[in-house]
Amino acid sequence: MPIAKVDGVEVEFEPGMNVLQVCELAGKEIPRFCYHERLSIAGNCRMCLVEVKPGPPKPQASCALPAAEGQEIFTDTPMVKKARHGVMEFLLINHPLDCPICDQGGECDLQDQAMGYGRDDSRYAENKRAVEEKYMGPLIKTVMTRCIQCTRCVRFITEVAGVPDIGLISRGEDVEITTYLDKAVASELSANVIDLCPVGALTSKPYAFNARPWELKKTESVDVMDALGSAIRVDARGPAVLRVLPRINEAVNEEWISDKTRYAVDGLSRQRLDRPFVRENGKLRAATWAEALDVVAAKVRSTNPDRIGVIAGDLQDAESMKAAKDLFGSLGVTSLDCRQDGMVLGHGARETWLFNSSIQGLEEADYILLVGSNPRLEAPVLNARIRKRWLAGATRVGVVGEAADLTYGYEHLGAGPASLAGLAKSKSDFVKRLREAKAPAIVIGAGALNRPDSLAVLRAAADVAKAFGMTWNVLHSAASRVGGLDLGFVPAEGGRSAAELAAKGGADLLVLLGADEIDLSKSDAFVVYLGTHGDAGAHRADVVLPGAAYTEKNGLYVNTEGRVQMGFRAVFPKGEAREDWAILRALSERVGATLPYDSLDQLRAKLFADHPSFGRIGYVAETPAAVDFAALGAKGQLSDAPFAGAVRSFHLTNPIARASVTMAECAQLASGAAKIAAE
């Protein structure tokens, strides 16, 4: 490996690194505004100046200078210090003096670096330049007079998000960052520019003027808005969650999160269930816990176990599903299901329902076939990874399903099951090259697995994967799905599926664990709803038991690749609400089948003992598991209906998002944009 000297200390570095990265290897902190390790190099701000020998006798931008063998780099010479002070003075010439009222105050890169490199007075007597504010939608607040034209936002939107809505116009002193058509940024990842902005030019519109960073209690947790399990930080003050920010997790989300993950949090305080309710004379009335549990227990005792069904929703933690399975399993109930969308996977080896390439490992695939999936809506951060590899020319993508804008080029191979089944015989250029691929992968979306003919579709997909030697990947859209399947929260022999339970006469007693996405309009069952929001499930319920949202409890979640992750409580449940497993534990006493654990630790101990995969926190298999393709699906008649994506409205996929005012604004904007585009 080549060696360079940084302030007299020799440092080994990998070929291709720039001088700034070599300085960081040596433990030297180099100030920067425009440079970001996940974006292309712009060299705009000139804050990262260093002195390099051999080289010209002047400071050079370390971010744009390749490191070389034998270089001598100096980071704190008088020349470098004077240059950095000069750059900082120029950056602050037009910057407004509004730190006391700026939302970025307390976590602003410009503010921090001005303390180290700024002057204590100003030599600039002319008027400061003012810039008009720009409209970027309901999520991004702009104060463009603060902008220092680092272009991080432009590069992110163009390179990572793949929606070139933000750009740089004009020249010289008149240069401005703006949206080209004065419209909202049409990306599911747009608000990441707020984290990237090193000044207060782009800040969070919903969070504006709510709190200062030092007032907030910060809790590391995991996202449940999709099945990716992005690493997040929940910031709360008192009983309220005020914002969610991304944490760096290279294996899952790098350092990005979707707009829904970030902004659905206002739904945590709206339309909440904060006390038990019991329906009398057709109307729900408030009740005590003892009264509500007694009503449920009496109904459980009086109902034949064959006529009881339990359906788990998309946001459930593993502990609550384990408690429900233990309780109702001990009563002889066989109709349990965590697949309220009707997905057919769930029996057989674990590898059949996992994303076996792993999220990070998908970057190694040279060919990717998407079947019945729109990753831009189902997992925007994963979609950004695919785009990154496509931009580098390392991956080609084929799609069987809807022809949607995925932010990268792909070959549309067909819309439905017939195209999938005939893929091996296709003479398209993509299929010809696919036969020669070194690491091809197939990604099956929920849109291909929740159809009447899904077993036949599954068999056709397995035949394609086997024929081309592809790694088998299932992209789920629900955070609880893989955890439920790992637990065996599916109908046992003789049990009925979620769709069958929801049909007329399907059950006499139906217990919903936060299940709001299933249609119960024809069901005549007695419904018990254990959940967080006054959504579809609570409106249909005969008894409502208020539970805890994902920010209000400690819980385990398993993402689509099978990685077990821990979510932590940031605030306490609202009102009289309780953690889901504790409610089920209290109910078990009343039905005479007391669960054998009194604390979350005891519950987890039993969970780990019964299902060892849950004990491997943060672990995912390093090499893709071998999948028995012959065991997937069954032969049958394929429908002519094209595949439809599992997510139709990205911003309104769960009760928390539907209760969010911010998500409602975004959904309205997205539907309007779609209408305009169609016209």
Short mmCIF file of all heavy atoms in Angstrom, two decimals, residues 427-481:
data_model
loop_
_atom_site.label_atom_id
_atom_site.label_comp_id
_atom_site.label_asym_id
_atom_site.label_seq_id
_atom_site.Cartn_x
_atom_site.Cartn_y
_atom_site.Cartn_z
N LYS A 427 -35.95 -14.21 -26.23
CA LYS A 427 -34.75 -13.95 -27.03
C LYS A 427 -34.26 -12.50 -26.88
O LYS A 427 -33.48 -12.03 -27.70
CB LYS A 427 -35.05 -14.25 -28.50
CG LYS A 427 -35.37 -15.71 -28.76
CD LYS A 427 -35.60 -15.98 -30.25
CE LYS A 427 -35.92 -17.46 -30.48
NZ LYS A 427 -36.16 -17.75 -31.92
N SER A 428 -34.72 -11.83 -25.83
CA SER A 428 -34.30 -10.45 -25.63
C SER A 428 -32.82 -10.40 -25.25
O SER A 428 -32.25 -11.38 -24.74
CB SER A 428 -35.13 -9.80 -24.52
OG SER A 428 -34.80 -10.35 -23.26
N ASP A 429 -32.23 -9.25 -25.50
CA ASP A 429 -30.80 -9.08 -25.21
C ASP A 429 -30.53 -9.25 -23.72
O ASP A 429 -29.52 -9.82 -23.31
CB ASP A 429 -30.35 -7.69 -25.67
CG ASP A 429 -28.89 -7.44 -25.37
OD1 ASP A 429 -28.03 -8.14 -25.93
OD2 ASP A 429 -28.60 -6.54 -24.54
N PHE A 430 -31.47 -8.77 -22.88
CA PHE A 430 -31.30 -8.87 -21.43
C PHE A 430 -31.21 -10.33 -21.00
O PHE A 430 -30.35 -10.72 -20.21
CB PHE A 430 -32.46 -8.18 -20.71
CG PHE A 430 -32.36 -8.20 -19.21
CD1 PHE A 430 -31.68 -7.22 -18.52
CD2 PHE A 430 -32.95 -9.23 -18.47
CE1 PHE A 430 -31.58 -7.24 -17.14
CE2 PHE A 430 -32.86 -9.26 -17.08
CZ PHE A 430 -32.16 -8.25 -16.42
N VAL A 431 -32.11 -11.17 -21.53
CA VAL A 431 -32.13 -12.58 -21.14
C VAL A 431 -30.88 -13.30 -21.66
O VAL A 431 -30.30 -14.15 -20.96
CB VAL A 431 -33.41 -13.26 -21.67
CG1 VAL A 431 -33.38 -14.75 -21.40
CG2 VAL A 431 -34.64 -12.64 -21.02
N LYS A 432 -30.43 -12.94 -22.85
CA LYS A 432 -29.21 -13.55 -23.38
C LYS A 432 -28.02 -13.26 -22.47
O LYS A 432 -27.21 -14.14 -22.17
CB LYS A 432 -28.94 -13.03 -24.79
CG LYS A 432 -29.91 -13.54 -25.84
CD LYS A 432 -29.59 -12.95 -27.21
CE LYS A 432 -30.59 -13.43 -28.27
NZ LYS A 432 -30.30 -12.80 -29.58
N ARG A 433 -27.91 -12.01 -22.06
CA ARG A 433 -26.80 -11.63 -21.19
C ARG A 433 -26.97 -12.18 -19.77
O ARG A 433 -26.00 -12.44 -19.07
CB ARG A 433 -26.67 -10.11 -21.14
CG ARG A 433 -26.26 -9.50 -22.49
CD ARG A 433 -26.14 -7.99 -22.40
NE ARG A 433 -25.75 -7.41 -23.68
CZ ARG A 433 -24.48 -7.28 -24.08
NH1 ARG A 433 -23.50 -7.68 -23.30
NH2 ARG A 433 -24.21 -6.74 -25.25
N LEU A 434 -28.23 -12.37 -19.37
CA LEU A 434 -28.51 -12.92 -18.05
C LEU A 434 -27.95 -14.33 -17.91
O LEU A 434 -27.51 -14.74 -16.83
CB LEU A 434 -30.02 -12.91 -17.79
CG LEU A 434 -30.52 -13.36 -16.42
CD1 LEU A 434 -29.94 -12.48 -15.32
CD2 LEU A 434 -32.05 -13.32 -16.37
N ARG A 435 -27.93 -15.08 -19.00
CA ARG A 435 -27.40 -16.44 -18.96
C ARG A 435 -25.90 -16.44 -18.65
O ARG A 435 -25.37 -17.42 -18.14
CB ARG A 435 -27.66 -17.13 -20.29
CG ARG A 435 -29.12 -17.31 -20.63
CD ARG A 435 -29.30 -18.09 -21.91
NE ARG A 435 -30.69 -18.08 -22.36
CZ ARG A 435 -31.64 -18.85 -21.85
NH1 ARG A 435 -31.33 -19.71 -20.89
NH2 ARG A 435 -32.87 -18.78 -22.30
N GLU A 436 -25.22 -15.34 -18.98
CA GLU A 436 -23.78 -15.25 -18.76
C GLU A 436 -23.43 -14.50 -17.47
O GLU A 436 -22.26 -14.28 -17.17
CB GLU A 436 -23.14 -14.53 -19.95
CG GLU A 436 -23.43 -15.19 -21.29
CD GLU A 436 -23.05 -14.32 -22.47
OE1 GLU A 436 -22.51 -13.21 -22.21
OE2 GLU A 436 -23.28 -14.72 -23.62
N ALA A 437 -24.44 -14.09 -16.71
CA ALA A 437 -24.21 -13.30 -15.50
C ALA A 437 -23.44 -14.10 -14.46
O ALA A 437 -23.61 -15.31 -14.33
CB ALA A 437 -25.54 -12.83 -14.92
N LYS A 438 -22.61 -13.39 -13.70
CA LYS A 438 -21.81 -14.04 -12.67
C LYS A 438 -22.54 -14.08 -11.32
O LYS A 438 -22.35 -15.02 -10.54
CB LYS A 438 -20.48 -13.31 -12.52
CG LYS A 438 -19.61 -13.38 -13.77
CD LYS A 438 -18.30 -12.62 -13.56
CE LYS A 438 -17.43 -12.69 -14.81
NZ LYS A 438 -16.17 -11.91 -14.66
N ALA A 439 -23.33 -13.04 -11.04
CA ALA A 439 -24.02 -12.99 -9.74
C ALA A 439 -25.42 -12.40 -9.92
O ALA A 439 -25.71 -11.30 -9.44
CB ALA A 439 -23.22 -12.15 -8.75
N PRO A 440 -26.30 -13.11 -10.63
CA PRO A 440 -27.65 -12.58 -10.84
C PRO A 440 -28.53 -12.76 -9.60
O PRO A 440 -28.31 -13.67 -8.80
CB PRO A 440 -28.17 -13.42 -12.01
CG PRO A 440 -27.46 -14.74 -11.86
CD PRO A 440 -26.11 -14.42 -11.28
N ALA A 441 -29.51 -11.89 -9.45
CA ALA A 441 -30.42 -11.97 -8.30
C ALA A 441 -31.84 -11.70 -8.77
O ALA A 441 -32.07 -10.89 -9.67
CB ALA A 441 -30.02 -10.95 -7.23
N ILE A 442 -32.78 -12.39 -8.17
CA ILE A 442 -34.20 -12.15 -8.44
C ILE A 442 -34.82 -11.57 -7.18
O ILE A 442 -34.52 -12.00 -6.06
CB ILE A 442 -34.92 -13.45 -8.86
CG1 ILE A 442 -36.36 -13.15 -9.29
CG2 ILE A 442 -34.88 -14.52 -7.78
CD1 ILE A 442 -37.06 -14.33 -9.96
N VAL A 443 -35.64 -10.54 -7.34
CA VAL A 443 -36.32 -9.89 -6.22
C VAL A 443 -37.82 -10.02 -6.43
O VAL A 443 -38.38 -9.45 -7.38
CB VAL A 443 -35.92 -8.40 -6.10
CG1 VAL A 443 -36.70 -7.73 -4.98
CG2 VAL A 443 -34.42 -8.26 -5.88
N ILE A 444 -38.47 -10.79 -5.56
CA ILE A 444 -39.91 -11.01 -5.64
C ILE A 444 -40.60 -10.04 -4.68
O ILE A 444 -40.32 -10.04 -3.48
CB ILE A 444 -40.30 -12.45 -5.25
CG1 ILE A 444 -39.41 -13.46 -5.99
CG2 ILE A 444 -41.77 -12.70 -5.53
CD1 ILE A 444 -39.59 -13.47 -7.46
N GLY A 445 -41.49 -9.21 -5.22
CA GLY A 445 -42.20 -8.26 -4.38
C GLY A 445 -43.51 -8.81 -3.87
O GLY A 445 -44.02 -9.84 -4.35
N ALA A 446 -44.08 -8.11 -2.89
CA ALA A 446 -45.36 -8.55 -2.32
C ALA A 446 -46.47 -8.54 -3.36
O ALA A 446 -47.44 -9.29 -3.25
CB ALA A 446 -45.72 -7.64 -1.14
N GLY A 447 -46.32 -7.71 -4.41
CA GLY A 447 -47.34 -7.66 -5.44
C GLY A 447 -47.48 -8.95 -6.23
O GLY A 447 -48.50 -9.19 -6.88
N ALA A 448 -46.46 -9.81 -6.18
CA ALA A 448 -46.54 -11.11 -6.87
C ALA A 448 -46.96 -12.22 -5.93
O ALA A 448 -47.21 -13.35 -6.39
CB ALA A 448 -45.17 -11.45 -7.47
N LEU A 449 -47.05 -11.93 -4.64
CA LEU A 449 -47.29 -12.99 -3.65
C LEU A 449 -48.62 -12.87 -2.93
O LEU A 449 -48.91 -13.66 -2.03
CB LEU A 449 -46.16 -12.98 -2.61
CG LEU A 449 -44.75 -13.21 -3.16
CD1 LEU A 449 -43.72 -13.04 -2.05
CD2 LEU A 449 -44.64 -14.60 -3.77
N ASN A 450 -49.44 -11.88 -3.31
CA ASN A 450 -50.72 -11.71 -2.62
C ASN A 450 -51.90 -11.82 -3.60
O ASN A 450 -52.93 -11.19 -3.42
CB ASN A 450 -50.77 -10.36 -1.88
CG ASN A 450 -50.51 -9.18 -2.80
OD1 ASN A 450 -50.49 -9.34 -4.02
ND2 ASN A 450 -50.32 -8.02 -2.22
N ARG A 451 -51.71 -12.64 -4.64
CA ARG A 451 -52.72 -12.84 -5.67
C ARG A 451 -53.38 -14.21 -5.53
O ARG A 451 -52.84 -15.10 -4.87
CB ARG A 451 -52.08 -12.74 -7.05
CG ARG A 451 -51.39 -11.43 -7.35
CD ARG A 451 -50.34 -11.57 -8.44
NE ARG A 451 -50.78 -12.31 -9.61
CZ ARG A 451 -51.20 -11.75 -10.74
NH1 ARG A 451 -51.21 -10.43 -10.84
NH2 ARG A 451 -51.57 -12.49 -11.76
N PRO A 452 -54.54 -14.40 -6.15
CA PRO A 452 -55.15 -15.75 -6.12
C PRO A 452 -54.27 -16.82 -6.74
O PRO A 452 -54.34 -17.99 -6.35
CB PRO A 452 -56.45 -15.55 -6.93
CG PRO A 452 -56.76 -14.09 -6.80
CD PRO A 452 -55.44 -13.40 -6.76
N ASP A 453 -53.44 -16.41 -7.74
CA ASP A 453 -52.59 -17.40 -8.41
C ASP A 453 -51.15 -17.35 -7.90
O ASP A 453 -50.22 -17.77 -8.61
CB ASP A 453 -52.61 -17.17 -9.92
CG ASP A 453 -52.03 -15.81 -10.31
OD1 ASP A 453 -51.93 -14.92 -9.42
OD2 ASP A 453 -51.67 -15.62 -11.49
N SER A 454 -50.93 -16.86 -6.68
CA SER A 454 -49.57 -16.65 -6.19
C SER A 454 -48.75 -17.93 -6.08
O SER A 454 -47.53 -17.90 -6.26
CB SER A 454 -49.60 -15.94 -4.83
OG SER A 454 -49.87 -14.57 -5.00
N LEU A 455 -49.39 -19.05 -5.77
CA LEU A 455 -48.62 -20.30 -5.69
C LEU A 455 -48.04 -20.67 -7.05
O LEU A 455 -46.88 -21.10 -7.16
CB LEU A 455 -49.51 -21.43 -5.16
CG LEU A 455 -49.80 -21.41 -3.66
CD1 LEU A 455 -50.82 -22.47 -3.29
CD2 LEU A 455 -48.52 -21.60 -2.86
N ALA A 456 -48.82 -20.46 -8.10
CA ALA A 456 -48.32 -20.74 -9.45
C ALA A 456 -47.26 -19.71 -9.85
O ALA A 456 -46.27 -20.06 -10.52
CB ALA A 456 -49.49 -20.73 -10.44
N VAL A 457 -47.46 -18.46 -9.46
CA VAL A 457 -46.47 -17.41 -9.74
C VAL A 457 -45.15 -17.75 -9.03
O VAL A 457 -44.06 -17.61 -9.59
CB VAL A 457 -46.99 -16.03 -9.28
CG1 VAL A 457 -45.86 -14.99 -9.32
CG2 VAL A 457 -48.15 -15.58 -10.15
N LEU A 458 -45.27 -18.21 -7.80
CA LEU A 458 -44.09 -18.57 -7.02
C LEU A 458 -43.32 -19.70 -7.70
O LEU A 458 -42.08 -19.68 -7.77
CB LEU A 458 -44.53 -18.97 -5.62
CG LEU A 458 -43.48 -18.95 -4.50
CD1 LEU A 458 -42.86 -17.58 -4.36
CD2 LEU A 458 -44.11 -19.37 -3.18
N ARG A 459 -44.04 -20.69 -8.21
CA ARG A 459 -43.39 -21.80 -8.91
C ARG A 459 -42.69 -21.29 -10.18
O ARG A 459 -41.56 -21.68 -10.48
CB ARG A 459 -44.42 -22.87 -9.25
CG ARG A 459 -43.89 -24.00 -10.16
CD ARG A 459 -42.65 -24.69 -9.59
NE ARG A 459 -42.89 -25.31 -8.31
CZ ARG A 459 -43.35 -26.55 -8.16
NH1 ARG A 459 -43.61 -27.30 -9.21
NH2 ARG A 459 -43.53 -27.06 -6.95
N ALA A 460 -43.34 -20.39 -10.91
CA ALA A 460 -42.74 -19.85 -12.13
C ALA A 460 -41.48 -19.04 -11.81
O ALA A 460 -40.45 -19.15 -12.49
CB ALA A 460 -43.75 -18.97 -12.86
N ALA A 461 -41.53 -18.26 -10.74
CA ALA A 461 -40.36 -17.47 -10.33
C ALA A 461 -39.23 -18.38 -9.89
O ALA A 461 -38.05 -18.12 -10.20
CB ALA A 461 -40.74 -16.52 -9.21
N ALA A 462 -39.57 -19.45 -9.16
CA ALA A 462 -38.54 -20.39 -8.72
C ALA A 462 -37.89 -21.08 -9.92
O ALA A 462 -36.67 -21.30 -9.93
CB ALA A 462 -39.16 -21.42 -7.79
N ASP A 463 -38.69 -21.41 -10.94
CA ASP A 463 -38.13 -22.04 -12.15
C ASP A 463 -37.16 -21.09 -12.85
O ASP A 463 -36.10 -21.51 -13.33
CB ASP A 463 -39.26 -22.44 -13.09
CG ASP A 463 -40.09 -23.61 -12.55
OD1 ASP A 463 -39.60 -24.30 -11.63
OD2 ASP A 463 -41.22 -23.81 -13.04
N VAL A 464 -37.52 -19.80 -12.90
CA VAL A 464 -36.64 -18.81 -13.53
C VAL A 464 -35.35 -18.67 -12.74
O VAL A 464 -34.24 -18.65 -13.29
CB VAL A 464 -37.36 -17.45 -13.65
CG1 VAL A 464 -36.38 -16.35 -14.04
CG2 VAL A 464 -38.48 -17.53 -14.66
N ALA A 465 -35.48 -18.57 -11.42
CA ALA A 465 -34.30 -18.42 -10.57
C ALA A 465 -33.36 -19.62 -10.70
O ALA A 465 -32.14 -19.47 -10.76
CB ALA A 465 -34.73 -18.24 -9.10
N LYS A 466 -33.95 -20.80 -10.76
CA LYS A 466 -33.13 -22.01 -10.89
C LYS A 466 -32.46 -22.08 -12.27
O LYS A 466 -31.28 -22.44 -12.39
CB LYS A 466 -34.01 -23.24 -10.67
CG LYS A 466 -33.24 -24.56 -10.69
CD LYS A 466 -34.17 -25.74 -10.38
CE LYS A 466 -33.39 -27.04 -10.37
NZ LYS A 466 -34.29 -28.20 -10.08
N ALA A 467 -33.20 -21.70 -13.31
CA ALA A 467 -32.67 -21.78 -14.67
C ALA A 467 -31.48 -20.85 -14.88
O ALA A 467 -30.54 -21.18 -15.60
CB ALA A 467 -33.78 -21.46 -15.68
N PHE A 468 -31.51 -19.69 -14.23
CA PHE A 468 -30.45 -18.70 -14.44
C PHE A 468 -29.47 -18.63 -13.27
O PHE A 468 -28.58 -17.78 -13.27
CB PHE A 468 -31.07 -17.31 -14.66
CG PHE A 468 -31.84 -17.18 -15.95
CD1 PHE A 468 -33.22 -17.27 -15.95
CD2 PHE A 468 -31.18 -17.00 -17.15
CE1 PHE A 468 -33.93 -17.16 -17.14
CE2 PHE A 468 -31.88 -16.89 -18.34
CZ PHE A 468 -33.26 -16.97 -18.33
N GLY A 469 -29.63 -19.51 -12.29
CA GLY A 469 -28.71 -19.52 -11.15
C GLY A 469 -28.77 -18.26 -10.32
O GLY A 469 -27.74 -17.73 -9.88
N MET A 470 -29.97 -17.78 -10.05
CA MET A 470 -30.15 -16.50 -9.37
C MET A 470 -30.30 -16.68 -7.86
O MET A 470 -30.83 -17.68 -7.39
CB MET A 470 -31.38 -15.77 -9.92
CG MET A 470 -31.40 -15.64 -11.43
SD MET A 470 -32.93 -14.95 -12.07
CE MET A 470 -32.51 -13.23 -12.11
N THR A 471 -29.84 -15.69 -7.12
CA THR A 471 -30.05 -15.66 -5.67
C THR A 471 -31.50 -15.26 -5.40
O THR A 471 -32.01 -14.30 -5.99
CB THR A 471 -29.11 -14.66 -4.99
OG1 THR A 471 -27.77 -14.98 -5.35
CG2 THR A 471 -29.25 -14.72 -3.48
N TRP A 472 -32.14 -15.97 -4.49
CA TRP A 472 -33.57 -15.78 -4.21
C TRP A 472 -33.75 -14.68 -3.15
O TRP A 472 -33.21 -14.76 -2.05
CB TRP A 472 -34.17 -17.09 -3.71
CG TRP A 472 -35.62 -17.03 -3.40
CD1 TRP A 472 -36.20 -16.91 -2.18
CD2 TRP A 472 -36.70 -17.11 -4.34
NE1 TRP A 472 -37.56 -16.91 -2.28
CE2 TRP A 472 -37.90 -17.03 -3.61
CE3 TRP A 472 -36.77 -17.24 -5.73
CZ2 TRP A 472 -39.15 -17.08 -4.22
CZ3 TRP A 472 -38.01 -17.29 -6.34
CH2 TRP A 472 -39.18 -17.21 -5.59
N ASN A 473 -34.54 -13.66 -3.51
CA ASN A 473 -34.79 -12.54 -2.59
C ASN A 473 -36.27 -12.19 -2.57
O ASN A 473 -36.88 -12.00 -3.63
CB ASN A 473 -34.00 -11.30 -3.01
CG ASN A 473 -32.50 -11.53 -3.01
OD1 ASN A 473 -31.90 -11.77 -1.98
ND2 ASN A 473 -31.90 -11.48 -4.20
N VAL A 474 -36.83 -12.08 -1.38
CA VAL A 474 -38.21 -11.62 -1.22
C VAL A 474 -38.17 -10.26 -0.55
O VAL A 474 -37.60 -10.10 0.53
CB VAL A 474 -39.04 -12.61 -0.37
CG1 VAL A 474 -40.46 -12.08 -0.19
CG2 VAL A 474 -39.07 -13.98 -1.03
N LEU A 475 -38.78 -9.27 -1.20
CA LEU A 475 -38.84 -7.91 -0.65
C LEU A 475 -40.21 -7.72 -0.01
O LEU A 475 -41.21 -7.54 -0.70
CB LEU A 475 -38.60 -6.87 -1.74
CG LEU A 475 -38.67 -5.40 -1.28
CD1 LEU A 475 -37.65 -5.13 -0.19
CD2 LEU A 475 -38.45 -4.46 -2.45
N HIS A 476 -40.26 -7.79 1.31
CA HIS A 476 -41.52 -7.59 2.02
C HIS A 476 -41.81 -6.10 2.15
O HIS A 476 -40.92 -5.25 2.02
CB HIS A 476 -41.44 -8.22 3.40
CG HIS A 476 -41.28 -9.72 3.38
ND1 HIS A 476 -42.34 -10.57 3.19
CD2 HIS A 476 -40.18 -10.50 3.50
CE1 HIS A 476 -41.91 -11.82 3.20
NE2 HIS A 476 -40.60 -11.81 3.39
N SER A 477 -43.05 -5.78 2.44
CA SER A 477 -43.43 -4.39 2.63
C SER A 477 -43.89 -4.10 4.06
O SER A 477 -44.22 -2.97 4.38
CB SER A 477 -44.55 -4.01 1.65
OG SER A 477 -45.66 -4.88 1.78
N ALA A 478 -43.91 -5.12 4.93
CA ALA A 478 -44.37 -4.96 6.32
C ALA A 478 -43.24 -5.28 7.29
O ALA A 478 -42.55 -6.30 7.15
CB ALA A 478 -45.56 -5.89 6.59
N ALA A 479 -43.05 -4.40 8.27
CA ALA A 479 -41.95 -4.56 9.22
C ALA A 479 -42.08 -5.81 10.07
O ALA A 479 -41.08 -6.37 10.54
CB ALA A 479 -41.88 -3.32 10.13
N SER A 480 -43.29 -6.28 10.30
CA SER A 480 -43.50 -7.42 11.20
C SER A 480 -43.49 -8.76 10.47
O SER A 480 -43.49 -9.81 11.11
CB SER A 480 -44.85 -7.28 11.91
OG SER A 480 -45.92 -7.37 10.97
N ARG A 481 -43.45 -8.73 9.13
CA ARG A 481 -43.72 -9.95 8.37
C ARG A 481 -42.70 -11.05 8.61
O ARG A 481 -43.06 -12.20 8.90
CB ARG A 481 -43.82 -9.61 6.88
CG ARG A 481 -44.24 -10.76 5.99
CD ARG A 481 -45.64 -11.29 6.34
NE ARG A 481 -46.60 -10.22 6.48
CZ ARG A 481 -47.22 -9.63 5.45
NH1 ARG A 481 -46.97 -10.02 4.22
NH2 ARG A 481 -48.10 -8.68 5.68
#
